[in-house]
Amino acid sequence: MTTLKRVDVHVEGVVQGVGFRPFVHALARRLGLAGRVHNDVNGVHIEVEGALAGVEEFLTALERDAPPLSEIERVTVVSARPTGHHGFTIAAGVPSGLLRPLVRADGATCDDCLRELADPADRRHGYPFINCASCGPRFTIVRGVPYDRPLTTMAGFGMCRACAAEYHDPGSRRHHAQPTCCPACGPRLRLHDARGTELCGDPIAGAVTLLRAGRVVAVKGLGGFHLAVPAADERAAALLRGRKHREEQPFAVMTADLAQARRLCEIDEHAAELLTGRARPIVLLPRLPGAPVAASVAPATRSLGLMLPYTALHHLLLAELAEPMVLTGGNVSGEPIAYEDDDALTRLSGIADAFLIHDRPIHVRADDSVVRPMAGEVTVLRRARGYAPEPLAMRWPAPRPVLACGAELKSTFCLAEGRRAFVSQHIGNLENHETLRSFVESIDHFCGLFGIRPEIVAHDLHPGYLSTRHAKEIHGVELLGVQHHHAHIASCLADNGDPGPVLGVALDGLGHGPDGTLWGGEFLRADLTSFERLGHLAQVPMPGGSAAVRQPWRMTAAYLGDDHPGLDVARRNPWADALRLAPASPLTSSAARLFDAVAALLGVRDKITYAGQAVVELEQHADPAERGTYEAGITHGDLLVVEAADLVRAAAADLAAGAGTRAIAGRFHNGLADAVTRACDALRHATGLTAVALSGGMFQNALLLEATVARLRAAGFRVLKHVRVPPGDGGVSLGQAAVAAARDRA
């Protein structure tokens, strides 16, 4: 006699709009089980009954074989009495007004769709907008919830009979896939010249002809426009760089597949997984010697930012082009990327020679995400397309809804409710009206999308940040200022689900210090509710204030003063002017300004053309095999102080003695990692704390991070570092939200 079993199963997470119900339906029918599945307010509810072995296999496969775009947070199983029900159905859910589904990030074109794309016998052969429930646009086309076609930018495309049949068929992988379409009923691709006139012929073939001729082509992607040229074409890459006013910041490169990528960079198994995953981020990887990439693509760096195609349009373009292509943001440097057709044709008209465009509107702008393998794991440097807006699970709930407005540079915001934190896509630097407008509109969109009405608004202490000003303009909420570096450490704690207290090491650019100085090299005792400053890098003046950020040589002058025995950096620049300004200049403990000083000293970078350039290029200049170490003194008083000037003086002495600059840069990195470890060891004896949290933009530097982590672990520390959100200012909003929630719980 067969033993029957029935269970009621509730699945929470990203399980709506991703083909989860058809998956459950197919699984239950394959196992001969009865019951039904439907969406509810917080996820998917399943009633299933049948043979005991079948039900147990169902529960195992439910999580093991879940659809690629789903993300299960919690499965609750309750036993019930069998009813003798026959058949398995997909039932209607609760009224749509009550639904609060989690919107999925856009996903790369799946293997099934790629097979159809390449099959001449398939009705979607060569169709640039092929998708199914397991892939394609999601977040960037959603106007509202519930996630149904009328509330997406696909609303204007009525499904043909064949597509409608697939959409309504529970056995189809396009069942309730809202962007479902085909050449008969879906978006259309067009090629326009720089004046906006549509060109005749096949748009992809025409675009590739222009690319091969060295022209710049603007390509409309999932979250906005890109600018493309062949990656090996020096003249075209230099032309793009000049038109875009992006003097030296590296461009990303898209390759057709892993085999093509392996001809450009070192790619191990971990890197291959990142490149081929559904998020398809830009992955920063070591460039191979002699890689066929134009010098203007990524000057002054040993790395390349590689990504693989994530739309059918990309696959078709690269198959026709038959070589890698630069794919960089469709904007003038400093502006947000264009994502609306008319705006792109206007703003990019002086950059692009042609526009490969389509008529599916983009509702939400989303840059490409950037990740980097570091210290044995992945570190997210920019969290956007492929990751946002999916929530980060929080170990402790927020009692009241929170909006955290983040920082000024690499801006993100965060909405937190219950145990979920929704960190926005990368917005950009809040330095102009257009980016601020995008920031404010995105906040409103997130609030509507997830049904969250903030009661607490957290912000940075810097009164001049546009994010802070926006927070203070919101009425009817409780405002909470969070110190910048406390937010960095709290972000790392939240990223790791750790309550603290920890020794927090925050190494970054500049943050508003409560003492009126500019912090940036901090040693804190921190948990989610509070912090205490235990130490810092020794303060130095920033000659000329903000000019010292743009001209790193000024920081070399600040660190060395008159002690510069014939150094080239002093001859190249108006050293005496900087020394004259120094006494009246703001003081800073910034680690970034320390890197600036060494970069200029070694001739790597006297002036910068983008934020953090000297820091990035100093890492790339350093010999990663160097084992020498400079020693920085540590003084103990009311606060521990790391005498960072010792590192600069040691580097200057080696340079004067004829040492190679790559070796010196390596010794400097090792010296700072050593100083951080010795400072933490001293603070461990004072506080009893044995865990260290590393945060701040300097820990996007793989050489520094890996050297610091190795030394701290060898010294017996438990080390926390960022994984899910950036260690730089892109992660500050999560930290602010975590602090606000923790204080609300207290």
Side-chain angles (χ1 to χ4, degrees), residues 399-482:
R400 291 183 289 167
V402 175
L403 165 65
C405 290
E408 180 90 329
L409 302 179
K410 300 177 176 61
S411 170
T412 64
F413 61 84
C414 178
L415 285 173
E417 184 178 54
R419 293 181 182 271
R420 290 173 176 156
F422 298 89
V423 178
S424 76
Q425 74 277 25
H426 167 84
I427 304 293
N429 296 342
L430 297 184
E431 297 177 325
N432 58 57
H433 173 74
E434 180 65 22
T435 311
L436 179 63
R437 183 167 68 88
S438 177
F439 174 78
V440 174
E441 289 175 351
S442 294
I443 290 175
D444 291 343
H445 184 54
F446 266 61
C447 287
L449 208 57
F450 302 115
I452 297 175
R453 291 292 174 263
E455 297 179 30
I456 303 172
V457 175
H459 60 82
D460 196 274
L461 294 182
H462 197 301
Y465 282 1
L466 294 182
S467 58
T468 300
R469 293 180 186 178
H470 176 70
K472 292 183 176 181
E473 291 172 356
I474 300 174
H475 300 292
V477 297
E478 180 181 324
L479 289 174
L480 175 67
V482 182

Side-chain angles (χ1 to χ4, degrees), residues 213-237:
R215 306 298 186 186
V216 177
V217 178
V219 180
K220 186 177 180 182
L222 278 180
F225 280 80
H226 289 96
L227 296 164
V229 295
D233 189 334
E234 173 58 28
R235 191 192 67 80

Side-chain angles (χ1 to χ4, degrees), residues 301-570:
T301 173
R302 296 191 300 262
S303 300
L304 278 178
L306 291 188
M307 58 178 161
L308 297 189
Y310 53 86
T311 70
L313 174 57
H314 293 139
H315 282 280
L316 294 170
L317 262 178
L318 285 164
E320 183 81 12
L321 183 62
E323 62 176 300
M325 65 181 176
V326 164
L327 207 63
T328 187
N331 62 337
V332 176
S333 289
E335 296 180 357
I337 60 170
Y339 71 105
E340 296 173 323
D341 297 353
D342 290 343
D343 180 49
L345 288 166
T346 300
R347 282 206 286 138
L348 304 181
S349 61
I351 304 176
D353 297 300
F355 292 79
L356 189 58
I357 205 165
H358 57 76
D359 54 356
R360 183 181 69 205
I362 297 170
H363 187 66
V364 178
R365 176 191 287 118
D367 287 88
D368 293 314
S369 296
V370 183
V371 304
R372 188 178 190 186
M374 295 197 294
E377 292 183 286
V378 61
T379 298
V380 175
L381 305 185
R382 185 168 75 193
R383 188 177 183 273
R385 177 197 51 76
Y387 295 100
E390 293 169 17
L392 302 175
M394 305 294 284
R395 187 171 175 184
W396 301 275
R400 291 183 289 167
V402 175
L403 165 65
C405 290
E408 180 90 329
L409 302 179
K410 300 177 176 61
S411 170
T412 64
F413 61 84
C414 178
L415 285 173
E417 184 178 54
R419 293 181 182 271
R420 290 173 176 156
F422 298 89
V423 178
S424 76
Q425 74 277 25
H426 167 84
I427 304 293
N429 296 342
L430 297 184
E431 297 177 325
N432 58 57
H433 173 74
E434 180 65 22
T435 311
L436 179 63
R437 183 167 68 88
S438 177
F439 174 78
V440 174
E441 289 175 351
S442 294
I443 290 175
D444 291 343
H445 184 54
F446 266 61
C447 287
L449 208 57
F450 302 115
I452 297 175
R453 291 292 174 263
E455 297 179 30
I456 303 172
V457 175
H459 60 82
D460 196 274
L461 294 182
H462 197 301
Y465 282 1
L466 294 182
S467 58
T468 300
R469 293 180 186 178
H470 176 70
K472 292 183 176 181
E473 291 172 356
I474 300 174
H475 300 292
V477 297
E478 180 181 324
L479 289 174
L480 175 67
V482 182
Q483 199 279 326
H484 187 83
H485 299 96
H486 182 209
H488 268 303
I489 301 305
S491 175
C492 187
L493 290 174
D495 202 352
N496 288 273
D498 194 302
V502 295
L503 294 173
V505 181
L507 302 183
D508 72 345
L510 300 170
H512 189 76
D515 62 354
T517 64
L518 298 171
W519 290 13
E522 309 306 314
F523 296 88
L524 310 177
R525 183 192 188 280
D527 55 26
L528 292 176
T529 58
S530 62
F531 78 97
E532 177 188 0
R533 193 187 199 193
L534 302 178
H536 56 84
L537 301 185
Q539 293 180 325
V540 293
M542 288 176 54
S546 59
V549 178
R550 299 187 299 272
Q551 300 174 341
W553 68 265
R554 292 175 180 268
M555 294 309 304
T556 320
Y559 271 102
L560 293 180
D562 291 320
D563 186 16
H564 57 93
L567 294 173
D568 286 344
V569 65

